[in-house]
Amino acid sequence: MEQIKLPQAAVLTAPNPVTVVCTEKPDGTTNLATVSWWTYLSFNPEMIAYTMAKTSYSGEMARGNGKVVLTVPGAEIAEAVMGCGSTTGRETDKVEKFGIKLAELPGCSIKIPAHSRVAIQCRMKEFHEVGDHYLYICEAEKVYGNETEEALFAWNGYSQLRPAK
């Protein structure tokens, strides 16, 4: 084996599951951010964690209101999901820019992409600084699934999004 950098390890361990972090903006609209650094933490109680850059607008929204929905996007919106990962919601309405159809979850003010395989409605429990990112630890309040949607995964160091086939 040869010594490599951590980003190179991300390429070698692909694919990584992708999620769209859905948060609520102050005006009540939904902001979407693409993240592939997330994991299940516990099944009892049901908890997940994800990381976002410290400068992330979605992170700011999650820290401000403590609510977030993580979705596993469907393959049909791969191009839009890639766009959401390279655009800030601070200056752009990503839903409009990338033509993403939204859907509602029962009793939740945050809308999600209609083409989602899984949606995990969460309450943020805590967050911690981890280098240039924050680690968000969340309690899953409700979880929804749609087996007809094909999940997206990140490939080649997060440069491509496609199913795991």
Side-chain angles (χ1 to χ4, degrees):
M1 294 188 86
E2 66 180 81
Q3 184 173 350
I4 61 174
K5 299 286 186 184
L6 194 57
Q8 292 169 289
V11 172
L12 295 177
T13 58
N16 301 90
V18 171
T19 188
V20 173
V21 176
C22 308
T23 55
E24 187 173 14
K25 293 182 179 184
D27 66 2
T29 61
T30 298
N31 189 56
L32 307 172
T34 305
V35 171
S36 65
W37 293 354
W38 72 280
T39 190
Y40 300 101
L41 291 179
S42 171
F43 293 135
N44 187 19
E46 295 181 342
M47 298 176 69
I48 61 163
Y50 66 96
T51 63
M52 297 186 94
K54 289 180 182 176
T55 57
S56 166
Y57 182 64
S58 291
E60 184 181 317
M61 296 300 98
R63 292 189 306 275
N65 66 30
K67 299 184 303 182
V68 65
V69 179
L70 269 70
T71 66
V72 175
E76 188 169 320
I77 59 171
E79 190 174 318
V81 171
M82 185 64 92
C84 286
S86 60
T87 307
T88 177
R90 193 178 311 277
E91 301 155 3
T92 304
D93 180 341
K94 297 180 195 181
V95 172
E96 183 178 316
K97 179 174 182 166
F98 299 111
I100 300 171
K101 181 181 175 187
L102 296 180
E104 294 183 3
L105 296 174
C108 182
S109 61
I110 301 171
K111 294 181 180 176
I112 66 167
H115 291 285
S116 295
R117 183 170 173 88
V118 172
I120 306 170
Q121 184 180 336
C122 300
R123 182 182 63 77
M124 189 181 66
K125 184 176 179 184
E126 57 192 84
F127 68 96
H128 301 275
E129 183 176 341
V130 288
D132 58 354
H133 283 64
Y134 286 123
L135 171 69
Y136 295 89
I137 298 174
C138 301
E139 294 180 355
E141 295 180 327
K142 295 178 184 174
V143 182
Y144 302 89
N146 180 352
E147 291 184 21
T148 65
E149 292 288 343
E150 191 172 21
L152 283 177
F153 291 83
W155 295 83
N156 298 327
Y158 312 103
S159 66
Q160 297 174 1
L161 296 181
R162 58 184 167 85
K165 292 181 183 177

